Amino acid sequence: MSDPQVLVENILNALAAGIIIGGLYGLMCVGLGLIFGIMKVINFAQGELLMLGMYVTAFLFGSLGLGTLFGPYVGPFVAALLAGPVLFAGGALLHRGLISRVSGLSTVGSLDEGHFGQLIVTLGVSLILQNGGLILFGSTPAGVRTPLSSRAWQIGPTIADATIFLNKARSIACLIAIAVAIFLYLLLDYTRLGKALRAAADNPTAASYMGIDVTRAHRIAFGLGSAITAVAGGLMATYLSFTPFVGMDFVIIMYSGVVLGGMGSILGAFWGGLTVGFVQQMSALVLPPQLQNAAIFVVFLLIVSLRPQGLFGRSAERA
């Protein structure tokens, strides 16, 4: 195989990997973007919700028997989807017990709109979940075993006789992530619940005058954001090992994607995550793994300097 052919093959495989990984990043960014877009809450514990989604998926697949019921090929993805309802309930309870005290109508008129309290509370939740996870699960890396994670589809020869390899677990996870993102988009745009959530995001006070329970809308939004991030984590668990501190590796990626897409834009959050994944995989062609996040921030700074409102900044006022 000649050097130009190797170069073309590496570039094509990096492009394919960037799209696949970016789709998963996009979904987890949507979870964070939903919470901020509707509630205006900066959630430092979002990475830990991703981590919990991974462990719930592993528990459902292994200990609860979904692996036996659905088999090693379908079971992991069913478990990842079922992690969503589990974390929806957990997120709703977390909002009811803590987040609602420092967000929503209870902070209207306060000096900082509750942002200082939100930062402290969500940071505290993050630390509790990390260390609680360490106590419960230990520090040994876990994973969801599926034969698909070590298999790939082969496409080609293509341009310059190059062959593209698509990891089966990542490819299926990406397709499911896109389907979940489309479902959420349709839910927010075409259902009565979605209209209530968007009204609570645009003007909570006016929404309450129109008979919308803003606190309930925020609780649902926080639960949905937690569930979507958990599903993204569960899908990533099908090909990635993880520990209770895995959220720290992805929380910066989530915030980068949300800001790139435009704060408050759900569609923008997905495209922002897709951009981050694309840049990460393309930078792997020329940079060592330790510098890939640096490449992400270089692109981040370039985009923000040219378009401070983000790629979809016009949607920032609505979720």
PDB file of all heavy atoms in Angstrom, residues 167-184:
ATOM      1  N   ASN A 167     -16.789   0.678  13.156  1.00  0.00           N
ATOM      2  CA  ASN A 167     -17.027  -0.162  14.318  1.00  0.00           C
ATOM      3  C   ASN A 167     -18.525  -0.378  14.500  1.00  0.00           C
ATOM      4  O   ASN A 167     -19.316   0.573  14.491  1.00  0.00           O
ATOM      5  CB  ASN A 167     -16.438   0.490  15.568  1.00  0.00           C
ATOM      6  CG  ASN A 167     -16.614  -0.353  16.811  1.00  0.00           C
ATOM      7  OD1 ASN A 167     -17.629  -0.283  17.478  1.00  0.00           O
ATOM      8  ND2 ASN A 167     -15.613  -1.154  17.128  1.00  0.00           N
ATOM      9  N   LYS A 168     -18.948  -1.614  14.654  1.00  0.00           N
ATOM     10  CA  LYS A 168     -20.374  -1.929  14.682  1.00  0.00           C
ATOM     11  C   LYS A 168     -21.070  -1.353  15.913  1.00  0.00           C
ATOM     12  O   LYS A 168     -22.173  -0.789  15.818  1.00  0.00           O
ATOM     13  CB  LYS A 168     -20.573  -3.444  14.614  1.00  0.00           C
ATOM     14  CG  LYS A 168     -20.203  -4.045  13.259  1.00  0.00           C
ATOM     15  CD  LYS A 168     -20.527  -5.526  13.206  1.00  0.00           C
ATOM     16  CE  LYS A 168     -20.210  -6.099  11.818  1.00  0.00           C
ATOM     17  NZ  LYS A 168     -20.558  -7.545  11.730  1.00  0.00           N
ATOM     18  N   ALA A 169     -20.453  -1.485  17.076  1.00  0.00           N
ATOM     19  CA  ALA A 169     -21.078  -0.970  18.301  1.00  0.00           C
ATOM     20  C   ALA A 169     -21.233   0.541  18.232  1.00  0.00           C
ATOM     21  O   ALA A 169     -22.293   1.099  18.551  1.00  0.00           O
ATOM     22  CB  ALA A 169     -20.255  -1.379  19.522  1.00  0.00           C
ATOM     23  N   ARG A 170     -20.182   1.246  17.795  1.00  0.00           N
ATOM     24  CA  ARG A 170     -20.249   2.699  17.712  1.00  0.00           C
ATOM     25  C   ARG A 170     -21.251   3.146  16.653  1.00  0.00           C
ATOM     26  O   ARG A 170     -21.979   4.135  16.848  1.00  0.00           O
ATOM     27  CB  ARG A 170     -18.867   3.262  17.396  1.00  0.00           C
ATOM     28  CG  ARG A 170     -17.847   3.060  18.495  1.00  0.00           C
ATOM     29  CD  ARG A 170     -16.549   3.767  18.176  1.00  0.00           C
ATOM     30  NE  ARG A 170     -15.537   3.549  19.193  1.00  0.00           N
ATOM     31  CZ  ARG A 170     -14.356   4.163  19.220  1.00  0.00           C
ATOM     32  NH1 ARG A 170     -14.051   5.029  18.272  1.00  0.00           N
ATOM     33  NH2 ARG A 170     -13.501   3.913  20.190  1.00  0.00           N
ATOM     34  N   SER A 171     -21.298   2.450  15.530  1.00  0.00           N
ATOM     35  CA  SER A 171     -22.207   2.840  14.448  1.00  0.00           C
ATOM     36  C   SER A 171     -23.662   2.696  14.873  1.00  0.00           C
ATOM     37  O   SER A 171     -24.481   3.598  14.651  1.00  0.00           O
ATOM     38  CB  SER A 171     -21.935   1.991  13.205  1.00  0.00           C
ATOM     39  OG  SER A 171     -20.607   2.164  12.749  1.00  0.00           O
ATOM     40  N   ILE A 172     -23.997   1.572  15.493  1.00  0.00           N
ATOM     41  CA  ILE A 172     -25.377   1.364  15.952  1.00  0.00           C
ATOM     42  C   ILE A 172     -25.717   2.376  17.050  1.00  0.00           C
ATOM     43  O   ILE A 172     -26.817   2.946  17.077  1.00  0.00           O
ATOM     44  CB  ILE A 172     -25.562  -0.073  16.459  1.00  0.00           C
ATOM     45  CG1 ILE A 172     -25.372  -1.066  15.302  1.00  0.00           C
ATOM     46  CG2 ILE A 172     -26.933  -0.259  17.097  1.00  0.00           C
ATOM     47  CD1 ILE A 172     -25.382  -2.521  15.717  1.00  0.00           C
ATOM     48  N   ALA A 173     -24.764   2.624  17.952  1.00  0.00           N
ATOM     49  CA  ALA A 173     -24.991   3.607  19.016  1.00  0.00           C
ATOM     50  C   ALA A 173     -25.245   4.991  18.431  1.00  0.00           C
ATOM     51  O   ALA A 173     -26.121   5.730  18.903  1.00  0.00           O
ATOM     52  CB  ALA A 173     -23.793   3.638  19.962  1.00  0.00           C
ATOM     53  N   CYS A 174     -24.525   5.345  17.379  1.00  0.00           N
ATOM     54  CA  CYS A 174     -24.706   6.649  16.732  1.00  0.00           C
ATOM     55  C   CYS A 174     -26.094   6.753  16.112  1.00  0.00           C
ATOM     56  O   CYS A 174     -26.776   7.784  16.238  1.00  0.00           O
ATOM     57  CB  CYS A 174     -23.624   6.860  15.683  1.00  0.00           C
ATOM     58  SG  CYS A 174     -23.794   8.410  14.755  1.00  0.00           S
ATOM     59  N   LEU A 175     -26.540   5.708  15.442  1.00  0.00           N
ATOM     60  CA  LEU A 175     -27.869   5.726  14.828  1.00  0.00           C
ATOM     61  C   LEU A 175     -28.963   5.870  15.880  1.00  0.00           C
ATOM     62  O   LEU A 175     -29.938   6.613  15.694  1.00  0.00           O
ATOM     63  CB  LEU A 175     -28.075   4.451  14.012  1.00  0.00           C
ATOM     64  CG  LEU A 175     -27.199   4.305  12.760  1.00  0.00           C
ATOM     65  CD1 LEU A 175     -27.424   2.943  12.114  1.00  0.00           C
ATOM     66  CD2 LEU A 175     -27.483   5.420  11.761  1.00  0.00           C
ATOM     67  N   ILE A 176     -28.798   5.168  17.005  1.00  0.00           N
ATOM     68  CA  ILE A 176     -29.779   5.285  18.090  1.00  0.00           C
ATOM     69  C   ILE A 176     -29.751   6.702  18.672  1.00  0.00           C
ATOM     70  O   ILE A 176     -30.805   7.283  18.979  1.00  0.00           O
ATOM     71  CB  ILE A 176     -29.502   4.241  19.178  1.00  0.00           C
ATOM     72  CG1 ILE A 176     -29.712   2.830  18.623  1.00  0.00           C
ATOM     73  CG2 ILE A 176     -30.405   4.466  20.392  1.00  0.00           C
ATOM     74  CD1 ILE A 176     -29.335   1.718  19.582  1.00  0.00           C
ATOM     75  N   ALA A 177     -28.550   7.275  18.819  1.00  0.00           N
ATOM     76  CA  ALA A 177     -28.423   8.631  19.347  1.00  0.00           C
ATOM     77  C   ALA A 177     -29.145   9.637  18.451  1.00  0.00           C
ATOM     78  O   ALA A 177     -29.844  10.533  18.937  1.00  0.00           O
ATOM     79  CB  ALA A 177     -26.947   9.002  19.486  1.00  0.00           C
ATOM     80  N   ILE A 178     -28.978   9.496  17.149  1.00  0.00           N
ATOM     81  CA  ILE A 178     -29.657  10.396  16.211  1.00  0.00           C
ATOM     82  C   ILE A 178     -31.169  10.236  16.316  1.00  0.00           C
ATOM     83  O   ILE A 178     -31.926  11.215  16.310  1.00  0.00           O
ATOM     84  CB  ILE A 178     -29.168  10.127  14.776  1.00  0.00           C
ATOM     85  CG1 ILE A 178     -27.691  10.519  14.644  1.00  0.00           C
ATOM     86  CG2 ILE A 178     -30.017  10.896  13.764  1.00  0.00           C
ATOM     87  CD1 ILE A 178     -27.070  10.138  13.311  1.00  0.00           C
ATOM     88  N   ALA A 179     -31.632   8.984  16.439  1.00  0.00           N
ATOM     89  CA  ALA A 179     -33.072   8.725  16.563  1.00  0.00           C
ATOM     90  C   ALA A 179     -33.632   9.365  17.832  1.00  0.00           C
ATOM     91  O   ALA A 179     -34.724   9.963  17.816  1.00  0.00           O
ATOM     92  CB  ALA A 179     -33.332   7.221  16.558  1.00  0.00           C
ATOM     93  N   VAL A 180     -32.898   9.253  18.945  1.00  0.00           N
ATOM     94  CA  VAL A 180     -33.355   9.853  20.214  1.00  0.00           C
ATOM     95  C   VAL A 180     -33.381  11.372  20.094  1.00  0.00           C
ATOM     96  O   VAL A 180     -34.323  12.029  20.575  1.00  0.00           O
ATOM     97  CB  VAL A 180     -32.438   9.409  21.373  1.00  0.00           C
ATOM     98  CG1 VAL A 180     -32.777  10.173  22.654  1.00  0.00           C
ATOM     99  CG2 VAL A 180     -32.564   7.914  21.617  1.00  0.00           C
ATOM    100  N   ALA A 181     -32.365  11.962  19.442  1.00  0.00           N
ATOM    101  CA  ALA A 181     -32.332  13.413  19.269  1.00  0.00           C
ATOM    102  C   ALA A 181     -33.505  13.890  18.409  1.00  0.00           C
ATOM    103  O   ALA A 181     -34.119  14.922  18.700  1.00  0.00           O
ATOM    104  CB  ALA A 181     -31.004  13.828  18.635  1.00  0.00           C
ATOM    105  N   ILE A 182     -33.840  13.150  17.361  1.00  0.00           N
ATOM    106  CA  ILE A 182     -34.985  13.504  16.519  1.00  0.00           C
ATOM    107  C   ILE A 182     -36.281  13.404  17.312  1.00  0.00           C
ATOM    108  O   ILE A 182     -37.169  14.277  17.209  1.00  0.00           O
ATOM    109  CB  ILE A 182     -35.031  12.597  15.272  1.00  0.00           C
ATOM    110  CG1 ILE A 182     -33.836  12.897  14.356  1.00  0.00           C
ATOM    111  CG2 ILE A 182     -36.342  12.785  14.509  1.00  0.00           C
ATOM    112  CD1 ILE A 182     -33.710  11.946  13.179  1.00  0.00           C
ATOM    113  N   PHE A 183     -36.401  12.346  18.120  1.00  0.00           N
ATOM    114  CA  PHE A 183     -37.593  12.184  18.962  1.00  0.00           C
ATOM    115  C   PHE A 183     -37.756  13.377  19.901  1.00  0.00           C
ATOM    116  O   PHE A 183     -38.864  13.912  20.064  1.00  0.00           O
ATOM    117  CB  PHE A 183     -37.491  10.891  19.755  1.00  0.00           C
ATOM    118  CG  PHE A 183     -38.541  10.740  20.819  1.00  0.00           C
ATOM    119  CD1 PHE A 183     -39.833  10.364  20.491  1.00  0.00           C
ATOM    120  CD2 PHE A 183     -38.241  10.995  22.158  1.00  0.00           C
ATOM    121  CE1 PHE A 183     -40.820  10.241  21.463  1.00  0.00           C
ATOM    122  CE2 PHE A 183     -39.214  10.877  23.135  1.00  0.00           C
ATOM    123  CZ  PHE A 183     -40.508  10.494  22.787  1.00  0.00           C
ATOM    124  N   LEU A 184     -36.668  13.818  20.517  1.00  0.00           N
ATOM    125  CA  LEU A 184     -36.738  14.954  21.430  1.00  0.00           C
ATOM    126  C   LEU A 184     -37.134  16.222  20.683  1.00  0.00           C
ATOM    127  O   LEU A 184     -37.940  17.030  21.167  1.00  0.00           O
ATOM    128  CB  LEU A 184     -35.398  15.153  22.137  1.00  0.00           C
ATOM    129  CG  LEU A 184     -35.346  16.341  23.098  1.00  0.00           C
ATOM    130  CD1 LEU A 184     -36.260  16.100  24.292  1.00  0.00           C
ATOM    131  CD2 LEU A 184     -33.924  16.600  23.566  1.00  0.00           C
TER     132      LEU A 184
END
